[in-house]
Amino acid sequence: MAKRADGDSSTVKEARPPVIVWNKERERFETEDKEAFLQYHLRDVGLVAAAANRSDNPEQQKRKGAAVVMDMVHTYVPRSKRGMGLAALLCDAAFAHAQCHSMLVIPTCSYISDTYLPRNPAWNSLVCNGEPKSSM
Ligand code: COA
């Protein structure tokens, strides 16, 4: 709780950033209420090896032996919560997870390929095709 800036002795609630949860069974990263989510599917290792073989990207070479690749197929945020960065938070969690588990990513979802990655180019090193997106 925080004191009000105008000196009023009543307290105000501090906004809590949304918590993103990994739902392993449903292959999703989602908000606690499950209304917003990033859906992924785990894909075959052969695809990763083929992409890594074609790439000079050291991150991809490092992940060449990775067991799986995360295909991020869909991101959804309810209309009432759009434009506040919630989809970006879901992506942050999903990319961090991929990195922790030495996985490459296929950004099938257009929000991820066209908006999130250009705004977060550091994650391009995990992208399976190895083609970097330009910064916005
Ligand atoms: N493709 C690329 N970028 C998109 C997009 C799409 N389909 N839909 C919205 N964006 C952009 C917006 O133009 C906005 O840009 P701005 O910041 O310049 O205004 C930005 O994403 C908003 O980012 P953020 O606040 O992190 O996203 P969000 O929480 O509003 O959620 C979606 C974005 C796409 C998940 C949400 O609009 C949604 O659920 N749409 C319906 C489902 C959908 O089209 N999903 C994407 C394809 S899988």
Side-chain angles (χ1 to χ4, degrees):
M1 295 283 212
K3 294 281 184 194
R4 285 170 54 130
D6 59 8
D8 189 315
S9 60
S10 63
T11 53
V12 290
K13 280 187 182 173
E14 284 174 8
R16 187 170 67 101
V19 174
I20 307 299
V21 179
W22 178 33
N23 186 332
K24 186 179 180 183
E25 288 69 37
R26 296 187 73 184
E27 297 193 326
R28 281 181 174 195
F29 287 86
E30 58 195 20
T31 46
E32 286 174 302
D33 61 10
K34 301 184 189 300
E35 285 188 355
F37 61 85
L38 183 156
Q39 180 81 54
Y40 67 88
H41 298 303
L42 299 180
R43 302 279 183 215
D44 182 62
V45 66
L47 184 59
V48 182
N53 279 335
R54 286 196 305 272
S55 173
D56 295 331
N57 182 331
E59 278 293 326
Q60 298 210 357
Q61 286 290 338
K62 201 168 75 187
R63 285 170 168 73
K64 200 168 157 182
V68 285
V69 58
M70 274 177 93
D71 186 354
M72 297 183 184
V73 292
H74 189 53
T75 314
Y76 178 80
V77 171
R79 273 184 200 285
S80 61
K81 295 179 181 167
R82 287 180 193 170
M84 296 185 283
L86 192 46
L89 284 181
L90 290 162
C91 292
D92 290 345
F95 274 84
H97 178 91
Q99 185 177 51
C100 273
H101 292 79
S102 298
M103 290 189 283
L104 289 176
V105 167
I106 301 173
T108 298
C109 167
S110 62
Y111 166 78
I112 297 174
S113 61
D114 298 352
T115 298
Y116 180 77
L117 278 171
R119 291 176 184 181
N120 298 273
W123 289 127
N124 277 317
S125 60
L126 299 194
V127 174
C128 205
N129 62 17
E131 290 163 15
K133 304 269 177 186
S134 61
S135 296
M136 284 173 87

